[in-house]
Every structure is written in structure tokens, then in C-alpha cells.
């Protein structure tokens, strides 16, 4: 396995251009078939019920859901009452190559940033039981400005650009760092015909 780029944060490693153009296009074709079964939808915020600026869907045994009543994982898509589509083999292969974890991922959360107005505020990922497992993210489409900080919201942060085909692995203590997506850089990739950015986040949810 090739070496990643250290980001200055222990346990946060960037593997630029891990998927080449043909591999990205092949994966996108598989994802489009999955999206036909589980269409990306606009989730709502806990408490306020305000819609997010991104659309989401899930792949794998468990889907991550946000609703007025909070966040949770569920095996069924609430919009269709069917199981989520399978995680494509190319994504499972990335987990084997880069995560170094004993068990497979259970959730692939898909975040779709349709326009340059979509963003994700600073937050921690803390709804999983297997907090010893890393999180693996693959970016497809337009480049984003990603921000990562410390363990308190007010800690200083650093920006990284995530481009199409890049893999980011968040392991160790960094699993609990605050992070978010500030903006999408329009027309920075040709992969998605309508532009925008897809992020695929693989997570182990339950303890193996
Ligand atoms: C750093 N997604 O779905 S992926 C999320 O690009 C999420 O859509 C962002 O944050 C996106 O929860 C960032 C990279 C990522 C994922 C999980 C992390 C970075 C992380 C967990 C801890 C620290
Ligand atoms: Fe997150």
C-alpha cells in the first residue's frame, strides 16, 4: 500500500487520486443504479426540522438517518421500507486497503452536495459504537474545502482540499475531531455531468 500524506493531525491521512478516472466512472455507474433504488433525499435537522443543504442516502446493512427526533442508524430506508442497496465492491476494497480494521464497514453514508451553496457545519461523528474503527471517506466530483479541528468546537482548525478520487482516513483519537465542509469549488471536476460533489463515508457502526 502506498504512503499517504500526513495532514499534521495524528491519525488523519490523505491518499490523493486513489481512484483514477476510469475507476471513478465505473464506481459512479454502480452508484447511479443504487441511487435509483434509494434516491438521495434532503434530511431534516434534529429539533428544528429545518432541511439540510445536501441530499443523502445510504448503502450497506445500516443507514445513518437524521430527523426531527435526532440521529440514528436503521437497516431499512424509511422512504421505501426496503433494505439499503449493497456497498459496491470497489468501496469495500478501499476499506480493506486503507482502514486496517478487523471487520467490514456497515454503513456507507452518501452526501451529495448539488451546488456551490451546499455545506456541512462543524460536527463530530459520535453515533457509532465502534469508535475504535476508523472512518474512510472517498470524494467524487467537484473539489471541496474540508475543515478539521480539535476536540472542542472552538479549537483551531485547518483546511484541506478533497478532490475527486481522494481517500481520507480518520483513525485513532482523530476519529472524534470536529470537521465539516465549508464549500464546493464549482466546475473543478468533469466527473458529474451536472457538477457538484459526492462524498462516500464508510463506517463500522457496531462492535465486531
Ligand atoms: C473527520 N462528511 O458524513 S467526509 C459526515 O465530505 C461528514 O461529506 C464530510 O463529515 C463530507 O459525517 C466529510 C470526511 C470525514 C468523515 C468523518 C470524520 C472526516 C472526519 C470523522 C472524524 C473526523
Ligand atoms: Fe462527519
Amino acid at each position: 500500500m502506498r504512503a499517504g500524506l500526513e495532514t499534521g493531525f495524528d491519525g488523519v491521512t490523505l491518499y490523493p487520486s486513489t481512484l483514477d478516472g476510469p475507476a471513478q466512472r465505473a464506481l459512479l455507474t454502480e452508484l447511479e443504479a443504487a441511487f435509483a433504488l434509494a434516491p438521495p433525499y434532503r434530511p431534516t435537522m434534529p429539533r428544528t426540522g429545518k432541511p439540510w443543504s445536501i441530499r443523502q442516502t445510504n448503502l450497506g446493512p445500516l443507514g445513518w438517518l437524521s430527523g426531527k427526533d435526532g440521529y440514528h442508524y436503521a437497516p431499512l430506508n424509511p422512504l421505501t421500507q426496503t433494505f439499503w442497496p449493497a456497498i459496491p465492491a470497489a468501496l469495500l476494497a478501499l476499506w480493506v486497503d486503507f482502514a486496517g480494521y478487523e471487520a467490514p464497514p456497515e454503513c456507507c453514508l452518501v452526501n451529495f452536495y448539488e451546488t456551490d451553496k451546499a455545506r456541512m457545519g462543524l460536527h463530530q461523528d459520535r453515533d457509532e459504537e465502534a469508535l475504535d474503527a476508523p472512518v474512510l471517506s472517498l470524494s467524487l466530483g467537484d473539489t471541496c474545502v474540508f475543515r478539521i479541528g480539535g476536540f472542542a468546537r472552538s479549537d483551531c482548525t485547518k483546511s484541506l482540499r478533497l478532490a475527486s478520487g481522494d481517500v481520507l482516513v480518520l483513525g485513532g483519537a482523530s476519529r472524534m475531531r470536529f470537521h465539516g465542509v465549508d464549500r464546493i469549488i464549482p466546475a473543478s471536476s468533469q466527473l458529474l455531468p451536472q457538477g457538484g460533489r459526492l462524498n462516500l463515508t464508510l463506517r463500522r457502526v457496531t462492535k465486531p
Side-chain angles (χ1 to χ4, degrees):
M1 188 177 89
R2 74 204 173 92
L5 299 181
E6 292 304 325
T7 57
F9 291 111
D10 207 31
V12 183
T13 315
L14 179 64
Y15 299 91
S17 305
T18 295
L19 293 192
D20 61 13
Q24 292 174 39
R25 286 189 288 276
L27 177 57
L28 184 61
T29 299
E30 266 192 85
L31 291 171
E32 282 164 350
F35 299 162
L37 300 170
Y41 61 93
R42 218 171 284 283
T44 48
M45 301 273 203
R47 296 190 319 275
T48 61
K50 208 181 140 220
W52 293 47
S53 62
I54 63 169
R55 287 194 295 155
Q56 289 189 328
T57 188
N58 288 277
L59 309 171
L62 291 172
W64 184 88
L65 296 165
S66 170
K68 269 201 94 154
D69 49 347
Y71 306 133
H72 70 282
Y73 280 96
L76 292 181
N77 181 346
L79 289 141
T80 57
Q81 297 299 330
T82 58
F83 293 109
W84 303 101
I87 300 175
L91 289 172
L92 295 174
L94 292 177
W95 181 267
V96 170
D97 288 349
F98 296 101
Y101 194 69
E102 59 189 289
E106 293 168 297
C107 173
C108 176
L109 173 64
V110 182
N111 293 324
F112 182 32
Y113 300 79
E114 274 163 288
T115 71
D116 54 331
K117 275 152 204 94
R119 55 185 297 282
M120 187 179 285
L122 268 192
H123 68 278
Q124 288 172 301
D125 291 14
R126 54 191 323 159
D127 303 314
E128 300 75 28
E129 286 164 30
L131 290 175
D132 60 322
V135 172
L136 185 155
S137 143
L138 172 70
S139 296
L140 290 178
D142 287 338
T143 299
C144 79
V145 181
F146 171 76
R147 181 193 291 269
I148 182 160
F151 305 102
R153 187 179 294 279
S154 56
D155 289 351
C156 67
T157 62
K158 167 175 176 160
S159 285
L160 290 179
R161 275 165 195 239
L162 302 180
S164 198
D166 290 0
V167 167
L168 185 68
V169 178
L170 301 303
S174 286
R175 180 70 180 69
M176 294 309 288
R177 287 184 188 278
F178 274 87
H179 60 280
V181 173
D182 287 345
R183 64 194 175 87
I184 307 299
I185 302 171
S188 45
S189 156
Q190 300 293 310
L191 182 70
L192 304 178
Q194 319 285 336
R197 170 174 182 266
L198 275 172
N199 179 76
L200 305 151
T201 300
L202 299 176
R203 299 194 179 95
R204 179 75 198 183
V205 180
T206 66
K207 289 187 177 148

